[in-house]
Amino acid sequence: MERLTFRLLGFPEFRMNGRRVELALRRAGALLIFLAEAGRPVARETAATLLWPEADEETARARLRRTLYKIRVAFRSELVAASGTSLSLHPALSVEIDSKAFEYACDRGPLETATNTYTNDFLAGFSLPDCQEFEEWAFFRREALRSRLTQALERLIETRIAAGEARTAVVHATRLVGLDPLSESAHRHLIRANLAAGDRAAAERQLEACARHLRDELGVPLDPATVALLQEPSKATETPRTRYVEVEGIHLAYQTVGNGPPDIVLVPGFVSHVERIWEDSRCRSWIAAVSRVGRLILFDRRGVGLSDRVGARPTVDATAKDILAVMDAAGSRRALLVGYSEGGPGCIRFAVDHPDRLAGLVLWGSLAKGSHTPDYPFALTAEQYDLWKRRLIANWGGPAEIETFAPSLVGDRKGEAWWAGLLRAASSPGAVTGVLEALRDTDVRHLLASVSVPTLVLHRSGDRAVRSEAGRFLAAKISGARFVEVAGDDHWFWVGDQNPLLRSIKELARHYR
């Protein structure tokens, strides 16, 4: 069997049975790269449109045929299996792709293999300037892989410090800072690693470097929690240790803060990151307040944050399984469940399936259905939703859609920088697409009448992300549920007045036995 090897992490390189093959036409290389990444048959029309978007159909198909001929000549072999409608790499070939090997190691380990495989960014130095469709596809793929690298490095740092291998953790943390010098979280990892290695001077230098980056680039000061890392341990506000639990072969990241009873489980929205949330003073304030009521259990749903990426959409049923796995791992027999935004439908599913595990349910800014229908007019139409999704993804890497989620923070440079950094760490344009599509197709209206636990529904009156009517609908359809309208326009519960949600949690805590 002939062996075809792709190096795509860095400037692309192709080898056939160990022999390096040069392709004179960049579009020939781009076509092979796209087919290799797809891993399945691709419609001829898709490939032609991707590489020759400005050409008419007949011209694009002719150029595609000529490109396939050039590939066959360069490799001296029939590399591409072509039918009248589709293209794919020939099934008789043994294909090795470093980007796929990197993702496999991220999922299956060891993580050192993953980080060693990632020698450079996807297709670094390779571009087709007059082919915007291919450039966009490559950008999204590049961002997805960088997100996986960030996740792998963060996990490696924590495990190496815990294992007493602080010097190795320093190496990984230094690389993490290099990926995103404006991430205060990355700098914290390096400060902690240096302190664990006994090098206080290096930790102090890193603190100064972090302060300089944030001041010069963003015009914002250090977070007090970052400064506190170099104070006496009793004075430092340390992020709790991130732990992992496995469910269906997927590793979920979770943390516990404070002491119970009661236990309070927070189910996040479409993106989350159990470590990056500590960078925002508002989030940290809310966590501290809730942890004085009981033991707060935080986690990242499958596919986002520090949890494993998955190849399938994170469904409502999957979220319910994640909740159960995290509660079991944390030793929580019974809890108050707080579902925020897109996390709400999964909480509803859990409440129906496991009422004995709940003392109560709180839904904040949530909804029963992700898109508009005549009998559910409180959401965007599928077309409007897809337009919003494209806008969000197009601005990924910056404070995308902060004017929708937290209008009061527009112009707040530190708040915008935190949101942009959380998005980059929590997911990527390509990976989050499946999450957003799952939300669009969500519908748990048929479950609402079966919710039997005490329920409070809270919604801000001017919420721009999820209309308040969606919250009223939930409360009306869940037996005995109470609706609480909260003043303000922000979708995020930790921005603006936090007291209504805190009071609701305290109220339901009385049901905990």
Side-chain angles (χ1 to χ4, degrees):
M1 179 181 290
E2 293 190 296
R3 182 166 54 90
L4 179 60
T5 306
F6 290 80
R7 190 190 74 178
L8 304 182
L9 297 173
F11 194 84
E13 181 180 296
F14 312 98
R15 291 183 180 272
M16 188 69 167
N17 298 325
R19 174 181 66 88
R20 184 169 180 172
V21 178
E22 299 290 348
L23 286 169
L25 291 177
R26 282 210 166 193
R27 276 182 171 77
L31 177 59
L32 284 179
I33 292 165
F34 187 69
L35 294 177
E37 283 285 330
R40 53 177 172 73
V42 172
R44 278 179 174 266
E45 181 181 355
T46 299
T49 302
L50 184 77
L51 298 175
W52 296 279
E54 303 303 322
D56 59 68
E57 182 178 349
E58 184 178 347
T59 302
R61 283 183 170 268
R63 290 176 179 174
L64 179 59
R65 288 193 298 271
R66 187 160 58 250
T67 301
L68 291 171
Y69 171 75
K70 294 286 187 181
I71 291 172
R72 185 163 58 249
V73 170
F75 283 87
R76 306 172 198 166
S77 179
E78 198 68 58
L79 237 62
V80 179
S83 72
T85 59
S86 66
L87 305 171
S88 64
L89 293 181
H90 203 288
L93 292 169
S94 171
V95 181
E96 299 174 7
I97 311 166
D98 60 351
S99 57
K100 298 289 189 182
F102 164 73
E103 290 183 305
Y104 183 87
C106 284
D107 292 335
R108 305 293 179 88
L111 289 176
E112 287 87 349
T113 299
T115 57
N116 290 338
T117 301
Y118 197 109
T119 55
N120 206 334
D121 286 337
F122 183 71
L123 303 187
F126 180 88
S127 65
L128 295 177
D130 56 345
C131 191
Q132 188 61 32
E133 283 75 5
F134 179 83
E135 288 294 288
E136 288 181 0
W137 170 80
F139 167 78
F140 289 144
R141 180 63 172 144
R142 186 178 303 118
E143 289 299 304
L145 292 169
R146 279 177 66 90
S147 175
R148 298 298 304 270
L149 177 62
T150 296
Q151 180 191 41
L153 288 171
E154 288 174 332
R155 289 173 63 179
L156 270 177
I157 294 162
E158 294 300 325
T159 56
R160 290 296 164 262
I161 290 176
E165 301 171 12
R167 293 293 178 188
T168 303
V170 169
V171 174
H172 294 311
T174 300
R175 187 176 181 187
L176 183 64
V177 170
L179 286 176
D180 190 356
L182 297 181
S183 166
E184 199 165 351
S185 175
H187 287 279
R188 285 185 192 176
H189 276 295
L190 185 48
I191 291 169
R192 290 193 188 98
N194 278 314
L195 290 173
D199 193 343
R200 184 176 180 84
E204 291 174 345
R205 289 194 299 272
Q206 196 57 44
L207 184 71
E208 293 171 1
C210 180
R212 187 170 58 253
H213 278 297
L214 295 180
R215 181 188 65 242
D216 295 348
E217 299 295 328
L218 299 176
V220 298
L222 283 170
D223 191 293
T226 304
V227 179
L229 292 175
L230 287 167
Q231 298 174 355
E232 293 298 321
S234 60
K235 299 179 182 179
T237 306
E238 289 280 357
T239 301
R241 176 187 170 191
T242 300
R243 294 178 169 83
Y244 284 87
V245 58
E246 184 176 350
V247 54
E248 298 181 337
I250 299 165
H251 297 86
L252 304 176
Y254 73 97
Q255 294 179 352
T256 61
V257 192
N259 298 294
D263 284 339
I264 303 157
V265 180
L266 176 65
V267 182
F270 80 100
V271 290
S272 65
H273 194 291
V274 291
E275 294 184 356
R276 293 290 179 109
I277 58 174
W278 290 87
E279 293 181 21
D280 182 78
S281 59
R282 304 169 191 85
C283 277
R284 202 166 55 250
S285 172
W286 186 85
I287 291 170
V290 175
S291 66
R292 289 192 289 270
V293 177
R295 183 176 64 149
L296 178 61
I297 302 172
L298 307 166
F299 75 100
D300 291 331
R301 291 189 290 163
R302 64 182 72 190
V304 298
L306 288 174
S307 295
D308 285 346
R309 301 296 185 261
V310 292
R313 293 180 178 183
T315 64
V316 167
D317 288 343
T319 297
K321 291 177 182 177
D322 292 350
I323 295 169
L324 181 62
V326 169
M327 285 183 63
D328 287 346
S332 178
R333 184 186 62 81
R334 199 158 175 259
L336 306 177
L337 193 58
V338 180
Y340 160 59
S341 191
E342 294 86 355
C347 292
I348 291 166
R349 173 83 267 178
F350 185 88
V352 171
D353 292 346
H354 305 282
D356 57 312
R357 301 293 295 268
L358 295 183
L361 174 64
V362 179
L363 299 171
W364 172 280
S366 195
L367 70 175
K369 191 175 185 300
S371 58
H372 178 284
T373 51
D375 57 347
Y376 192 85
F378 320 120
L380 299 176
T381 65
E383 293 76 15
Q384 290 172 329
Y385 188 92
D386 289 342
L387 180 63
W388 174 81
K389 180 188 72 175
R390 289 197 296 272
R391 191 171 69 232
L392 174 71
I393 290 174
N395 292 294
W396 203 269
E401 292 299 300
I402 194 169
E403 65 276 8
T404 299
F405 300 119
S408 69
L409 294 188
V410 173
D412 181 327
R413 296 190 70 182
K414 190 162 188 176
E416 290 181 346
W418 170 80
W419 176 236
L422 185 139
L423 286 177
R424 293 193 299 271
S427 191
S428 65
V432 81
T433 297
V435 175
L436 295 173
E437 289 175 349
L439 170 63
R440 181 197 62 201
D441 299 337
T442 290
D443 188 353
V444 295
R445 291 177 296 172
H446 63 290
L447 298 176
L448 299 180
S450 300
V451 176
S452 59
V453 300
T455 302
L456 291 173
V457 180
L458 296 92
H459 219 109
R460 285 215 169 100
S461 56
D463 192 330
R464 299 182 184 180
V466 180
R467 287 168 53 182
S468 60
E469 291 90 340
R472 291 185 184 277
F473 180 89
L474 287 171
K477 298 297 183 180
I478 296 175
S479 177
R482 184 158 64 86
F483 181 76
V484 179
E485 185 171 81
V486 182
D489 300 331
D490 295 304
H491 182 59
W492 296 344
F493 60 80
W494 61 93
V495 176
D497 187 4
Q498 300 178 358
N499 286 321
L501 181 55
L502 291 172
R503 284 196 297 268
S504 296
I505 291 172
K506 290 177 182 177
E507 179 180 336
L508 285 183
R510 294 198 298 269
H511 294 274
Y512 193 95
R513 295 288 184 272

